[in-house]
């Protein structure tokens, strides 16, 4: 694949992750749950900053590796980070 296409894909993924990070800072409570127990209650609470930095690091790291090495696994890893944001928003806003 051409280098320009990799730059665009990687850039879009990183920009989406940064946008979701900022959105999470604005709308999520100060502590967010990272796990759901079998009874449906939240468990393992952390600061929203730490909880939102984890998917940002995964998405950005995957995008950078994809740009450098053009590995499809890295692109999927980056998309997994975006999915983590969606799961975090879903679990904590519908609580």
């Amino acid at each position: 694949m051409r280098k320009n296409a990799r730059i665009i894909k990687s850039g879009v993924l990183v920009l989406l992750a940064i946008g979701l990070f900022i959105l999470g800072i604005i709308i999520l409570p100060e502590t967010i749950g990272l796990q759901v127990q079998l009874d449906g209650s939240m468990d393992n609470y952390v600061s929203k900053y730490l909880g939102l930095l984890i998917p940002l690091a995964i998405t950005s790291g995957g995008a950078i590796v994809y740009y450098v090495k053009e590995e499809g696994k890295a692109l999927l890893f980056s998309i997994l980070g975006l999915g983590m944001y969606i799961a975090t928003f879903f679990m904590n806003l519908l609580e």
Side-chain angles (χ1 to χ4, degrees):
M1 185 177 294
R2 293 189 343 213
K3 191 172 186 176
N4 290 340
R6 284 188 305 183
I7 291 172
I8 291 171
K9 284 182 184 178
S10 298
V12 166
L13 287 169
V14 170
L15 288 175
L16 275 172
I18 291 171
L20 289 171
F21 178 82
I22 293 169
L23 180 66
I25 295 297
I26 294 169
I27 65 173
L28 288 175
E30 286 301 314
T31 57
I32 58 174
L34 296 181
Q35 295 177 342
V36 179
Q37 294 183 355
L38 289 176
D39 64 357
S41 63
M42 296 299 292
D43 190 28
N44 196 11
Y45 288 91
V46 296
S47 165
K48 71 177 170 183
Y49 301 104
L50 177 62
L52 292 172
L53 276 176
I54 295 168
L56 178 66
I58 290 173
T59 302
S60 300
I64 291 168
V65 171
Y66 175 72
Y67 171 71
V68 172
K69 295 185 179 181
E70 194 178 357
E71 290 184 7
K73 292 178 191 175
L75 186 63
L76 289 176
F77 197 66
S78 189
I79 293 170
L80 174 71
L82 293 177
M84 289 173 66
Y85 271 121
I86 294 167
T88 301
F89 290 149
F90 181 76
M91 289 187 313
N92 288 283
L93 293 176
L94 297 180
E95 185 176 19

